[in-house]
RNA sequence: GCGGGCGUGGCGGAAUGGUAGACGCAACAGACUUAAAAUCUGUCGAUUGAAAGAUCGUGCCGGUUCGAGUCCGGCCGCCCGCACCA
């Protein structure tokens, strides 16, 4: 019996699809009468080669794309390259190859790999973000944002990555370390470009509720990251005229609990607050404190270990509700300059930090919130602050109110006194987009000594990166380039300097999905009509690691673009459906001297392993995400050469639910290989003269009818599994159907016809998953054209209605037997049959039947005692 | 500390409140073979039993229900995110 040979079949079918241009989307205006469906996987950074781990993401998107295509949608499923970034510069430094060449070589290699995976992609829309034809438009978008005040330049304390030699956005600092380099980030005061993402903080938070096809987890993470808090700004008048003259008459604080204002016993300012710096000039104690805090680590551990500390600044403020009540002003190490106003009022009874601080420095602790069930006369706060709701006490005009009412009352009082108002604070900061690197999109700005910051006129775009650069020094090559930055001011014509910072590569990925809708557009970043037709992306597939970074930036970008004349999208949300897939993991191996070893370098035995080259024992490490750094990757081309693209696709979808990790094992791959061969065997064992794959075996009975029922049940189940992103369940059901076919190879009335119909359904069911084998089967079964052009099979609902039922029978909730009854049999008869069933009757011996529950078509439960 | 998720065979995992363990992997036994690989057939939660069967079993304790892996309450454990955010 001949075996299926993917090495021959796969290129053949890939060529057939390419020849027919099968996966080209719509066309301008998409006047083909079909509904649109935009499916997109997060586009790759061209780092070198694709491994089996990467392929899972693309395979899942491809299943959806092929399935939707079969269901009659006009599917847009494009691919491109997130091609700017630091690894290209590192390669240039280490190997002397130009970043552009390195990037394009990688793209060529990876494109070939994706094509050999048989993805249903519209390659006519491919682009790389490092192409001037792409970043030209990004520069134009930057200028649009500049016009709209959505981009600005300011001097700020920013995160500096000393290894990558560039600044990073807040989102790109994880536990105090750079997201790429892992280096401890240091704070530096620098002049940088920012996108005004905070202008959309409310919208970005509110709209999360509309994203009902996003994972709850991602929505929660974004909401936390934006960190909206509603409360009040309170202005405390300064008693010190000298400070007031310089910094204004009041110290402003943000609070979520204005209802506890009568519990205030001090104010605390961040150690780097301007007033603290001023006082430090003449107060050595404050100066020392300020410097010590500046040296404090910023990692999670450092912060956790650091005890509350502070210093009395020797100035006072007046309580807003009582001008005769003066509060001392301190500086405290737990107050952050980056949040709110960098100042707080301490209300120790209602905040654990304030309480710890007050106890340490012997400041007053006045309870103002009485928890339910406590007595006002005896209630005290010792070492644990009470932060919950209750009744207000010791608070003059707020006494007796509940906390919520008191909060509103306090705000209106502040407003009438003009010493505060209701306000909202956010954790989110503006997006720092400058990078001191070469391989990125140049910022289209010119600095002129006379005119200041001048945007490059739109007709002078693109500002193209120079080719002749060197990487022999760590700093920005654009800054060092002898001529590139020198130009004339577009405004006054005098000599001026170009901006030498480039844009964060996350800017490139914030609008690429728009560019895919009309990559041919030359005068505009994208054709608005095309973008508005295709957007939002119906199904986006990518890694959870972008839960905040890319997914928040892209949501900001579509909104900001909507506020320019470039786009007018209905919702502002770029991605209607999001799926975050799990990783492919693999065992790791380490040699005795600590080198990571790839699976090919290791001979694996039962529970030990040796290095092939040296024969020395190898330490088997943990099961981890496939990554180049740990060398536990399986190269996609090698895999495809051995087992075929279909096997890779089937493997990454099998076993584990798509959102969870799946472990790569050799035995799992062997199982996939066996399945593919078994499937082929049931196809070729159908007689050559059997009916075609679109035939319907209406006359089937007995085993043949049973096979048809299984086929249609599987069809329904697999369809629902695809719709519900449960690919592992679809795989299991297809296994079942193949098993049923293997057992149905005997003859019998109508069996050949039933097998032909079932195989026709099977070929179409497997088409989204293992498309090459599906084509081969379709061809062998005598189907016309290609299986990808065949319609998705229709479920024959008549076959799913059982006429005879097997019902389990329980006695007191325990299964004691089963009965076979006609579907329409009345309940009374079902009861009688159930009671007299042998095993049931045995369990009922000596018991009195109290109740019989018949759930039609489901179960019978007899209650007896 | 706060927020989210998850605990089911040797392993990955299935189960609209209705026969727990589908499907796959591993393991074991057998067939084929000179032999091995490949392939095929069968067994495969625990205890007990010759067998039929019985009892127990979805992290632990309780509750709701005729019936709970699933719903509710309380614990325990693991994973992820955020973390002095006023």
């Amino acid at each position: 019996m001949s075996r299926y040979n993917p090495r021959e079949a796969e290129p053949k079918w890939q060529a057939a699809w390419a020849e027919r241009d099968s996966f080209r989307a719509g066309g301008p205006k998409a006047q083909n009468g079909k509904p649109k469906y935009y499916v997109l996987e997060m586009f790759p950074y061209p780092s070198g080669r694709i491994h089996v781990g990467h392929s899972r993401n693309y395979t899942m998107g491809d299943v959806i794309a092929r399935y939707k295509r079969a269901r009659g949608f006009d599917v847009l499923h494009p691919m491109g390259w997130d091609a700017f970034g630091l690894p290209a510069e590192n390669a240039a430094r280490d190997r002397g190859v130009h970043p552009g060449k390195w990037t394009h070589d990688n793209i060529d290699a990876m494109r070939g790999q994706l094509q050999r995976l048989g993805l249903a992609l519209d390659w006519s829309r491919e682009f790389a973000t490092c192409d001037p034809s792409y970043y030209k438009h990004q520069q134009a978008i930057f200028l649009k944002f500049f016009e709209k005040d959505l981009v600005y330049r300011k001097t700020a304390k920013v995160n500096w990555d000393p290894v990558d030699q560039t600044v990073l956005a807040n989102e790109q600092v994880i536990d105090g370390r750079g997201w790429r380099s892992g280096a401890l980030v240091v704070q530096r005061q620098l002049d940088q470009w920012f996108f005004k993402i905070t202008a959309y903080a409310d919208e970005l938070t509110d709209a999360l509720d509309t994203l009902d096809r996003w994972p709850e987890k991602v929505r929660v993470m974004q909401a936390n990251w934006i960190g909206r808090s509603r409360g009040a700004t309170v202005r405390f008048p300064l008693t010190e005229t000298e400070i007031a003259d310089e910094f204004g008459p009041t110290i402003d604080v943000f609070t979520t609990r204005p209802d506890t204002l009568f519990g205030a016993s001090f104010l605390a300012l961040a150690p780097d607050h301007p007033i603290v710096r001023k006082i430090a000039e003449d107060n050595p104690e404050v100066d020392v404190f300020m410097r010590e805090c500046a040296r404090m680590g910023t990692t999670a551990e450092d912060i956790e270990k650091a005890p509350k500390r502070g210093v009395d600044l020797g100035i006072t403020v007046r309580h807003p509700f009582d001008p005769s009540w003066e509060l001392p002003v301190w500086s405290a190490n737990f107050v952050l300059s980056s949040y709110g106003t960098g100042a707080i009022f301490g209300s120790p009874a209602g905040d654990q930090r304030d309480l710890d601080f007050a106890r340490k420095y012997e400041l007053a602790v006045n309870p103002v919130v009485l928890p339910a069930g406590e007595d006002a006369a005896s209630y005290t706060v010792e070492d644990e602050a009470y932060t919950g709701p209750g009744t207000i006490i010791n608070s003059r005009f707020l006494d007796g109110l509940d906390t919520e009412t008191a909060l509103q009352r306090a705000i209106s009082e502040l407003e009438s006194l003009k010493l505060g108002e209701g306000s909202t604070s956010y954790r989110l900061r503006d997006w720092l987009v400058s990078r001191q690197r070469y391989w990125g999109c140049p910022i289209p700005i010119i600095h002129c000594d006379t005119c200041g910051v001048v945007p490059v006129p739109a007709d002078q775009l693109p500002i193209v990166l120079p080719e002749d650069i060197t990487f022999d020094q760590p700093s920005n090559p654009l800054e060092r380039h002898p001529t590139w930055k020198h130009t004339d001011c577009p405004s006054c014509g005098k000599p001026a300097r170009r901006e030498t910072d480039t844009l964060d590569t996350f800017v490139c990925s914030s609008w690429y999905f728009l560019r895919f809708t009309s990559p041919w557009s030359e005068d505009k970043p994208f054709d608005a009509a095309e973008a508005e037709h295709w957007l939002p992306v119906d199904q986006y597939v990518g890694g959870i690691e972008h839960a905040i970074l890319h997914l928040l930036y892209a949501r900001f970008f579509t909104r900001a673009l909507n506020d320019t004349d470039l786009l007018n999208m209905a919702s502002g949300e770029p991605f209607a459906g999001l799926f975050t897939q799990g990783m492919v993991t693999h065992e790791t191996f380490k040699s005795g001297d600590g080198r990571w070893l790839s699976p090919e370098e290791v001979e694996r035995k039962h529970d030990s392993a040796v290095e092939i080259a040296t024969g020395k024992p190898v330490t088997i490490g943990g099961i981890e995400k496939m990554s180049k750094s740990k060398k536990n990757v399986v190269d996609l081309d090698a895999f495809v050469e051995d087992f075929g693209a279909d096997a890779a696709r089937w493997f990454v979808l099998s076993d584990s639910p798509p959102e969870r990790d799946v472990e790569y094992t050799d035995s799992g791959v062997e199982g996939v290989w066996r399945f593919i061969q078994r499937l082929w065997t049931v196809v070729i064992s159908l007689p050559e003269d059997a009916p075609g794959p679109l035939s319907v075996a209406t006359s089937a009975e007995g085993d043949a009818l049973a096979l048809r029922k299984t086929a249609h049940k599987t069809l329904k189940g697999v369809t629902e599994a695809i719709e519900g992103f449960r690919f592992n369940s679809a795989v299991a059901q297809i296994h079942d159907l193949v098993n049923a076919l293997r057992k149905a190879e005997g003859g019998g009335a109508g069996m050949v016809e039933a097998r032909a119909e079932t195989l026709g359904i099977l070929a179409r069911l497997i088409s989204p998953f293992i498309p090459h084998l599906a084509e081969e089967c379709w061809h062998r079964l005598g189907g016309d054209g290609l299986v990808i052009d065949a319609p998705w099979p229709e479920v024959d609902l008549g076959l799913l209605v059982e006429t005879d039922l097997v019902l389990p029978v329980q006695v007191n909730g325990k299964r004691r037997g089963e009965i076979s009854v006609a579907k329409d049999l009345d309940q009374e008869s079902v009861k009688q049959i159930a009671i007299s069933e042998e095993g049931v009757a045995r369990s009922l011996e000596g018991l009195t039947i109290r109740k019989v529950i018949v759930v039609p078509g489901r179960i019978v439960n007899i209650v007896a005692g």
Side-chain angles (χ1 to χ4, degrees), chain A residues 389-412:
Chain A
T391 307
I392 301 294
I393 53 171
N394 304 327
S395 296
R396 307 186 195 182
F397 64 88
L398 297 176
D399 279 347
L401 300 175
D402 64 88
T403 40
E404 185 56 32
T405 311
L407 191 143
Q408 298 307 330
R409 178 78 177 78
I411 290 175
S412 50

Side-chain angles (χ1 to χ4, degrees), chain A residues 237 239 317-327 396 417 419:
Chain A
T239 57
V317 289
R318 297 185 196 287
H319 194 284
F321 293 150
D322 181 354
S324 67
W325 181 0
E326 292 190 10
L327 298 167
R396 307 186 195 182
L417 291 168
L419 286 175

Side-chain angles (χ1 to χ4, degrees), chain A residues 493-798:
Chain A
K494 289 186 197 153
R497 285 159 289 111
R498 285 193 192 288
E499 173 66 63
T500 55
D501 283 356
T502 52
L503 288 172
D504 183 1
T505 57
F506 279 99
V507 178
C508 305
S509 52
S510 292
W511 69 283
Y512 78 106
F513 46 90
L514 287 157
R515 181 73 183 164
F516 274 141
T517 66
S518 43
W520 50 80
S521 174
E522 282 182 18
D523 56 333
K524 288 184 177 166
F526 43 84
D527 179 310
E530 290 286 345
E532 287 153 23
H533 167 70
W534 286 108
L535 273 260
V537 173
D538 295 278
Q539 186 63 60
Y540 199 30
V541 188
I544 186 74
E545 66 274 19
H546 288 112
I548 291 171
L549 292 158
H550 161 60
L551 290 167
L552 188 61
Y553 295 148
R555 295 181 64 224
F556 155 67
F557 237 76
T558 44
R559 285 178 169 76
L561 285 166
N562 254 352
D563 286 344
T564 70
D565 56 4
L566 293 172
L567 183 67
N568 186 17
M569 255 182 82
S571 82
E573 283 300 332
F575 313 122
L578 171 70
F579 190 85
T580 53
Q581 92 284 352
M583 310 287 178
V584 180
T585 61
H586 192 12
E587 266 183 325
T588 53
F589 302 106
K590 223 172 194 178
S591 68
D593 51 345
R595 286 171 294 121
W596 293 106
L597 298 172
S598 71
E600 302 92 77
E601 296 173 291
V602 171
E603 161 115 52
R604 187 80 168 79
K605 298 187 175 156
H606 268 301
D607 37 14
S608 65
V610 295
E611 184 176 357
I612 294 167
T614 61
K616 287 184 183 160
V618 164
T619 311
I620 299 171
I623 293 161
E624 302 195 50
K625 174 191 168 184
M626 275 195 187
S627 77
K628 257 204 282 196
S629 60
K630 303 243 165 80
K631 293 186 88 174
N632 61 338
V633 293
V634 176
D635 182 72
L636 188 62
D637 276 348
F639 187 102
V640 168
E641 184 65 20
D642 289 345
F643 304 103
D646 284 340
R649 298 170 60 113
W650 195 251
F651 180 87
V652 296
L653 298 173
S654 300
D655 290 344
S656 286
E659 67 277 13
R660 255 187 256 179
D661 290 350
V662 63
E663 190 194 345
Y664 181 95
T665 59
D666 289 336
S667 54
V669 175
E670 284 160 24
V672 168
W673 180 252
R674 272 197 295 271
F675 166 75
I676 285 174
Q677 294 304 334
R678 280 202 290 248
L679 192 153
W680 181 240
T681 304
V682 297
V683 170
I684 59 177
S685 62
L686 185 74
E688 298 263 9
D689 58 354
L694 290 172
S695 62
V696 177
T698 45
S699 63
E701 54 188 45
D703 286 351
L705 182 61
L707 178 64
R708 292 192 67 215
K709 285 183 174 182
T710 304
H712 283 266
K713 201 179 81 199
T714 306
L715 166 57
K716 182 164 182 281
V718 170
T719 305
E720 287 168 359
I722 295 173
E723 299 267 4
F725 251 86
R726 296 188 308 272
F727 302 129
N728 57 323
S729 165
V731 165
Q733 293 180 67
I734 290 169
H735 268 284
D736 264 341
L737 184 58
V738 171
N739 288 343
L741 276 160
R742 261 145 47 94
K743 285 175 188 138
E745 294 204 349
M751 188 50 106
V752 167
E753 290 74 16
R755 281 164 60 196
E757 179 187 352
T758 301
L759 287 165
I761 289 171
L762 177 67
R764 283 174 286 167
L765 278 186
I766 62 175
S767 179
F769 302 92
I770 41 178
H772 311 88
L773 179 55
E775 293 291 0
E776 195 72 22
C777 293
W778 192 252
H779 181 68
R780 172 64 175 69
L781 295 168
D784 288 330
L786 298 180
V787 72
I788 56 159
D789 293 323
W792 195 250
E794 295 276 345
V795 181
D796 183 343
L797 290 170

Side-chain angles (χ1 to χ4, degrees), chain A residues 37 39 60-70 75 77 120:
Chain A
Y37 197 90
V39 54
M60 289 180 189
D62 202 52
V63 170
I64 300 295
R66 287 175 177 272
Y67 169 73
K68 288 291 177 182
R69 188 177 179 283
V75 173
H77 185 211

Side-chain angles (χ1 to χ4, degrees), chain A residues 412-533:
Chain A
S412 50
E413 186 69 18
L414 285 168
E415 285 172 354
S416 65
L417 291 168
K418 305 226 180 310
L419 286 175
E421 59 275 317
S423 67
T424 303
S425 191
Y426 303 89
R427 212 184 77 106
L428 181 71
R429 302 277 73 118
D430 275 335
W431 177 11
L432 195 172
V433 292
S434 324
R435 295 292 179 273
Q436 290 70 46
R437 302 305 327 169
Y438 165 74
W439 195 234
C441 172
I443 295 175
I445 289 289
I446 290 165
H447 298 278
C448 172
D449 288 337
T450 309
C451 311
V453 168
V454 183
V456 173
D459 59 11
Q460 290 177 24
L461 298 183
I463 304 302
V464 180
L465 289 168
E467 289 288 315
D468 52 332
I469 31 84
T470 55
F471 293 92
D472 47 1
Q473 293 169 53
S475 59
N476 183 356
L478 287 180
E479 187 66 42
R480 293 197 311 269
H481 191 277
T483 57
W484 185 79
K485 67 180 170 187
H486 300 297
T487 186
D488 295 332
C489 172
S491 175
C492 69
K494 289 186 197 153
R497 285 159 289 111
R498 285 193 192 288
E499 173 66 63
T500 55
D501 283 356
T502 52
L503 288 172
D504 183 1
T505 57
F506 279 99
V507 178
C508 305
S509 52
S510 292
W511 69 283
Y512 78 106
F513 46 90
L514 287 157
R515 181 73 183 164
F516 274 141
T517 66
S518 43
W520 50 80
S521 174
E522 282 182 18
D523 56 333
K524 288 184 177 166
F526 43 84
D527 179 310
E530 290 286 345
E532 287 153 23
H533 167 70

